[in-house]
Amino acid sequence: MRSTTGTRLAKGVVGLVAALATLMAAGPAVYGQARVTLQVAIAADVNVVEVHRNFLGVAFNKNHPNVTVHAVGTGTGEAASRAIYTKLKAQADAGRRNWDIDVALVSMRYASQMVKENLLYRYVPQMQFAQYVIGPDTVRAFGVDVKGFVVPMFKNQIAIAYNPQFVSRPPRSFAELESWVRANPRRFGYNGIKGGVSGIGFVMAWVYYKTGRYELFTQGPFDKANDGIIRSAIEQLRDFNRNVVITSGNAGTLDALNRGEIWMGAVWVDQLVAWKNEGRMNPEITPVLIAPGLPIYPLYLTVPREAANRDWAAKYIDFVANPQIQAKVIVEQFGWYPGIDPNRVMPLVSPTAKGLLFKGVTPEDLARYSQQMPIGEYYDAILLAYEEIVR
């Protein structure tokens, strides 16, 4: 979700584009032959933009020669999704028809907000692969019912990565991590709340661990009376932080791990796998998912309510949700977890790719320790408490 992989794309997927385009051929276009430019806005790093621009869009065009996919990135982090939200909201407020974004890849937080504000089109029921769009994060996100409005392009897990050269027995719980950090000051790092979502996810997981109120924070209802337990948890995080390194972003954590400056850190599993694939990372660095868990965070493919080409938009997302595309592109090429039903995707994935994806974090770990982000009000309350107490 964050690293640059253009070189890998150029070397590895050109033939695959043709092969999959042939495999996915669906016959004559069903929406007429008028020329269409599908505007795809991507709130993610450049590698995700390149996937749409150079691979998925090209393969889709081979099956539908009248449709050109025009993918544009809006940046990274929540600010990138906010930029898309702001643009759509402005068009809605102006009463404009035929909005100029057909597909938007946005964060869980802003997808839920756009559903709440009636800015999205409920397209999933018309998809061929709708039955594979499963999981609690396709039903509710940040306390909002998003069922039918979102398809995760992929899912990504926050985990604790460690260097076995320095860590012979990695922690299996937050309590063990606390003990390890006390015994090994400034050898653990994460990126706080301003350097990327892996740091935010670590903070949310810390609050779940310290309060034991995961269900409350993820299911609601919101009650400001719970500010006290949130602030108590964050005060303990402030003390914990005195012995850790706050890194300069998601990549900064991996760089510090790679250089041996820190021995453990909170990372995205996909970014760790991608860097290993590119030879940029010590292959011995291993992720582990600790109890009671850390958040998984999908990026959602959405269709704006008044998208000019929303039927084609739904068809394009259906193409991305095809189990074979998910297996060959999402998992094998980029090391992401499938966005759709893994039981339909993983049998199509090579043993080598499975080995890389599940080294350290097994499917059983994911089932047991993957957590959701809190509902919006608690999310904001936790970040506010962090800014006021930790700084």
Side-chain angles (χ1 to χ4, degrees):
M1 183 158 62
R2 283 143 296 282
S3 63
T4 303
T5 54
T7 300
R8 187 152 53 94
L9 265 173
K11 291 180 178 177
V13 303
V14 173
L16 192 56
V17 167
L20 284 178
T22 301
L23 189 61
M24 304 302 152
V30 296
Y31 296 101
Q33 296 301 316
R35 300 292 305 175
V36 172
T37 298
L38 203 59
Q39 302 292 345
V40 180
I42 309 294
D45 254 350
V46 64
N47 63 324
V48 184
V49 179
E50 288 176 347
V51 170
H52 286 272
R53 183 180 294 161
N54 301 332
F55 181 79
L56 296 172
V58 174
F60 189 74
N61 175 259
K62 285 184 179 296
N63 286 331
H64 305 287
N66 59 316
V67 181
T68 300
V69 174
H70 181 236
V72 176
T74 61
T76 60
E78 294 290 6
S81 294
R82 185 168 61 248
I84 293 174
Y85 159 76
T86 301
K87 185 175 180 61
L88 295 177
K89 182 72 164 54
Q91 293 181 79
D93 289 347
R96 180 174 169 178
R97 304 296 298 269
N98 293 332
W99 299 350
D100 55 10
I101 295 176
D102 297 310
V103 176
L105 183 71
V106 294
S107 72
M108 194 179 210
R109 176 174 175 78
Y110 279 95
S112 64
Q113 183 165 342
M114 288 194 286
V115 171
K116 194 174 180 179
E117 297 182 18
N118 191 30
L119 295 176
L120 296 184
Y121 174 50
R122 194 169 186 273
Y123 69 96
V124 177
Q126 68 180 272
M127 287 174 49
Q128 177 184 354
F129 299 111
Q131 70 270 30
Y132 303 147
V133 181
I134 64 170
D137 49 13
T138 66
V139 178
R140 290 183 71 78
F142 284 87
V144 177
D145 182 358
V146 297
K147 186 175 178 58
F149 293 93
V150 299
V151 173
M153 177 181 168
F154 56 84
K155 298 179 182 178
N156 199 11
Q157 178 68 54
I158 300 166
I160 305 300
Y162 68 96
N163 186 336
Q165 178 183 350
F166 305 112
V167 182
S168 58
R169 182 183 175 280
R172 293 294 176 181
S173 68
F174 267 91
E176 290 185 9
L177 177 63
E178 278 191 280
S179 297
W180 188 91
V181 167
R182 279 195 296 271
N184 300 276
R186 298 191 63 77
R187 294 301 184 186
F188 174 82
Y190 77 101
N191 54 2
I193 62 169
K194 295 183 178 177
V197 180
S198 70
I200 293 174
F202 180 82
V203 171
M204 301 301 164
W206 175 277
V207 173
Y208 297 158
Y209 153 59
K210 282 295 181 183
T211 63
R213 307 299 296 275
Y214 173 69
E215 295 296 329
L216 169 68
F217 292 137
T218 56
Q219 303 301 318
F222 175 72
D223 187 342
K224 192 169 174 52
N226 292 310
D227 269 2
I229 61 172
I230 291 173
R231 295 183 73 84
S232 174
I234 295 297
E235 286 169 358
Q236 294 174 73
L237 181 58
R238 175 193 57 200
D239 297 339
F240 174 83
N241 278 4
R242 290 181 177 130
N243 286 322
V244 311
V245 174
I246 300 300
T247 62
S248 58
N250 301 305
T253 305
L254 287 178
D255 281 334
L257 272 167
N258 214 26
R259 291 193 297 264
E261 296 172 4
I262 61 174
W263 299 347
M264 280 200 290
V267 303
W268 291 106
V269 173
D270 81 307
Q271 191 176 23
L272 177 62
V273 171
W275 281 35
K276 286 183 181 181
N277 284 341
E278 295 166 13
R280 301 170 60 190
M281 193 78 195
N282 179 349
E284 298 304 315
I285 303 293
T286 304
V288 61
L289 199 49
I290 63 176
L294 287 152
I296 198 165
Y297 200 69
L299 280 182
Y300 289 131
L301 289 159
T302 63
V303 179
R305 189 190 75 217
E306 301 296 338
N309 302 292
R310 66 186 192 184
D311 288 341
W312 276 114
K315 194 170 182 63
Y316 178 66
I317 296 173
D318 215 4
F319 174 77
V320 178
N322 186 305
Q324 298 194 62
I325 291 288
Q326 288 277 314
K328 299 305 176 188
V329 181
I330 300 300
V331 179
E332 290 191 3
Q333 288 289 327
F334 291 92
W336 294 319
Y337 295 114
I340 65 165
D341 185 352
N343 292 319
R344 301 297 302 181
V345 176
M346 295 315 294
L348 305 174
V349 174
S350 72
T352 300
K354 285 180 186 176
L356 280 173
L357 188 63
F358 295 122
K359 181 182 178 183
V361 177
T362 67
E364 292 74 24
D365 290 335
L366 291 170
R368 189 172 182 183
Y369 296 130
S370 285
Q371 297 181 323
Q372 291 188 323
M373 287 287 193
I375 62 173
E377 294 92 338
Y378 283 124
Y379 180 93
D380 292 340
I382 292 169
L383 293 186
L384 179 61
Y386 187 100
E387 288 184 341
E388 291 180 352
I389 296 170
V390 178
R391 298 179 183 176

